[in-house]
Structure formats: C-alpha cells, structure tokens
Amino acid sequence: MGQAMSVASLEGIPLEPMSIRRLESMSVAEQIEILRKDIAAGDMHSDAIKFFIEKYGPLDQVGFVESELGFRDSELVLQLVAALSTSSSDKLVQVMEILKILARPVENKAVISDLGIKAVLEQMAHYPEDSNVLEHACAVLGNLAHDDVTEMTIITNGGAELVLGAMKRHTMKGKLQYQACGALFNLSFDESNKKHLAKLGALDLLMDALHTHPLDPQVQEEACGALGILSEDEGNRTHLAENGLLSHVLKTMRLHASNKGVARETFFALQQVLQPP
C-alpha cells in the first residue's frame, strides 16, 4: 500500500491496488510490452507508465535496468523519441521520465543519442517557460552525456545554451537547477567544453544556484561537482577564486556536514580552487 501512495504522488491520481499487484506480478518483458502499447496509443498517463517511472526511476534501480532488462532492442527507445515531437507538454514529461531511465544503460545511449538529443533540444526551445519540461529534458541530457561523442553532440546542437537559458529563466526552481547542474557536470569533462561553458556564463550561473538554494543538498552537490570539474581549467579556476567560490563551498560544507554526496563534491571543488596558479 505504501507503493500505491508513492505512485499517486506522480500525478495526483492513485493507482488501484489491484493494478499495482497485477503489474508487479508480471515479468519485465510483459511490463515493457504494456508500456509499448500505451506509448503507441498516446496514453502517457496510464497505470503502467506511472508504475514503471515510480519503480525504476530512482538511481539505485540502474542495476535492474542493465542486468534484467537490458533493452537489447531499440523499439521502445524509438517509440519514445517519436513521441517527443508529437506529445503535449504534460505528456512530454512522462516521455522524458522514461527516456531518462532508458538513457542509463550503455546499450541505449547510442540509439537515443543518434535520434533523441535533437528532439529533446527542440522541445526545450519550444517550451522555454515550462520549468517541468526543462527539468526533465536536463535530466535526459545529463544521463546521456557520459562520453566525448555525446557531449559534443549536445554542445554542437546548442544544448549548453538551452540548459543555461533554463537556469537563468527559472532561478527559483530547485529541481530544475539540480538537473541542469547535473547536466553541466557531465558536459564539462571535455577540455574544450570547459572553456566553452565558461564563455556562455556557466560559472556564474552555477555560483548563483549555490547562493539561491543554500539548503537544497541536491543543488549544492551537483553545482559543487560541476564547478570542481570546470575549475580544472586554470582560467576558470582563477575566475571562481576571485568571485568567492571558496566561501560558498565552506558555507555548503557547514550547512550539509552530514550529507555524504555534498561532502564528496565540496571537497573536490575545494581541492580544485585551492590549487596554486
């Protein structure tokens, strides 16, 4: 029954306990088959879709997705990519939720990267005022950007500008800031991207996120992580040191002393900013 309440929180429409028991009793393949049919029918608020997002959405379920599910065929991914261009904004959120899950296994990244990145970016450009769409789009991009090729695909198609634009336009939306900071973290490993993102204003926007959401551990963790990676570039490190990153990081360490994720990323950022020129 606890799971029913959790699923209900997604849309405010509770799943019937019988629906949950029926879906849980199915094999993964059977669950996916229902998912495919609902997506094909355009029913992005079905019980099966809400169940899938709630059950497999958390990060600790990545092992399940990779080992039991695998997604060795690309049918579901291709369905979702097609749905990106035909769905209304409320349905887009559900499509991107599932894409975010599917973007974790390595097998899917190439398929989504080839077809899905441009579609996700197009929706970000189409819905610049919809923080919910932008939040979920940033989450998809963050999960995809785990190799140089994908990073560059996102960058060369204007992804950095769209992510930073979302941060600038929706400064008070903590969930969006968290996902955008995470996307910037994964886009910052390439050396040329570090300079490119800095020129676009990423350093100051990440600092703004730290300042605006001091009590949000997710924002603090991801922003500090992204700033740490970007600080590997000497010019970025100098800029951040001159603009108070050290005091921000120390404040975050005090406010979130018991949070392991925040502690890890603040320590990393601290190491970078304190490097000698």
Side-chain angles (χ1 to χ4, degrees):
M1 293 301 292
Q3 191 171 7
M5 292 299 291
S6 182
V7 173
S9 69
L10 284 171
E11 293 294 327
I13 304 172
L15 279 173
E16 294 293 331
M18 182 60 72
S19 296
I20 294 173
R21 287 197 291 271
R22 181 172 63 84
L23 288 162
E24 286 183 330
S25 69
M26 292 178 177
S27 68
V28 175
E30 289 172 328
Q31 291 174 3
I32 295 303
E33 189 56 36
I34 292 177
L35 208 63
R36 287 190 177 115
K37 290 177 180 177
D38 288 344
I39 293 166
D43 185 7
M44 296 308 301
H45 297 291
S46 71
D47 282 358
I49 285 174
K50 286 185 280 187
F51 172 84
F52 185 85
I53 291 170
E54 180 68 18
K55 187 171 179 66
Y56 307 126
L59 289 175
D60 61 4
Q61 293 294 338
V62 64
F64 166 87
V65 176
E66 290 178 339
S67 62
E68 290 191 49
L69 200 47
F71 294 109
R72 284 180 290 274
D73 69 78
S74 59
E75 180 184 344
L76 183 57
V77 173
L78 294 173
Q79 273 187 290
L80 288 161
V81 170
L84 282 173
S85 60
T86 59
S87 298
S88 58
S89 60
D90 64 319
K91 291 182 179 180
L92 270 177
V93 169
Q94 302 295 84
V95 173
M96 289 182 182
E97 276 278 7
I98 302 173
L99 268 179
K100 179 180 72 176
I101 297 169
L102 304 194
R104 292 178 195 147
V106 174
E107 304 96 310
N108 279 342
K109 292 186 189 295
V111 178
I112 301 176
S113 295
D114 289 344
L115 300 170
I117 288 176
K118 289 183 181 179
V120 170
L121 297 178
E122 285 172 3
Q123 296 308 317
M124 292 182 76
H126 189 68
Y127 292 100
E129 303 301 329
D130 192 323
S131 63
N132 206 16
V133 169
L134 296 173
E135 171 197 332
H136 287 82
C138 286
V140 175
L141 296 177
N143 277 5
L144 286 173
H146 283 278
D147 62 76
D148 292 343
V149 174
T150 308
E151 276 187 57
M152 292 311 299
T153 301
I154 294 170
I155 291 289
T156 55
N157 284 280
E161 289 88 342
L162 287 166
V163 171
L164 294 170
M167 292 180 74
K168 188 181 297 185
R169 191 174 283 109
H170 302 280
T171 56
M172 302 308 297
K173 298 291 185 179
K175 290 183 179 179
L176 185 152
Q177 294 289 320
Y178 158 60
Q179 296 293 357
C181 290
L184 291 176
F185 177 91
N186 285 332
L187 289 171
S188 298
F189 284 85
D190 181 86
E191 291 305 313
S192 63
N193 287 354
K194 290 179 172 64
K195 296 182 185 297
H196 179 64
L197 289 167
K199 288 180 181 177
L200 294 176
L203 302 177
D204 293 334
L205 285 169
L206 287 162
M207 292 279 282
D208 288 346
L210 285 178
H211 177 72
T212 306
H213 301 276
L215 301 181
D216 188 324
Q218 291 183 314
V219 173
Q220 297 295 308
E221 177 181 344
E222 294 297 336
C224 283
L227 287 166
I229 291 286
L230 289 166
S231 295
E232 292 176 351
D233 176 86
E234 186 176 348
N236 292 349
R237 185 163 61 250
T238 300
H239 175 86
L240 290 167
E242 291 174 351
N243 286 274
L245 177 59
L246 179 59
S247 62
H248 273 297
V249 170
L250 293 174
K251 180 181 178 180
T252 298
M253 293 176 82
R254 290 194 299 270
L255 288 173
H256 302 279
S258 62
N259 187 300
K260 292 181 180 178
V262 174
R264 180 185 62 248
E265 299 304 338
T266 51
F267 181 70
F268 173 57
L270 202 59
Q271 282 182 310
Q272 295 303 319
V273 80
L274 289 177
Q275 282 191 38

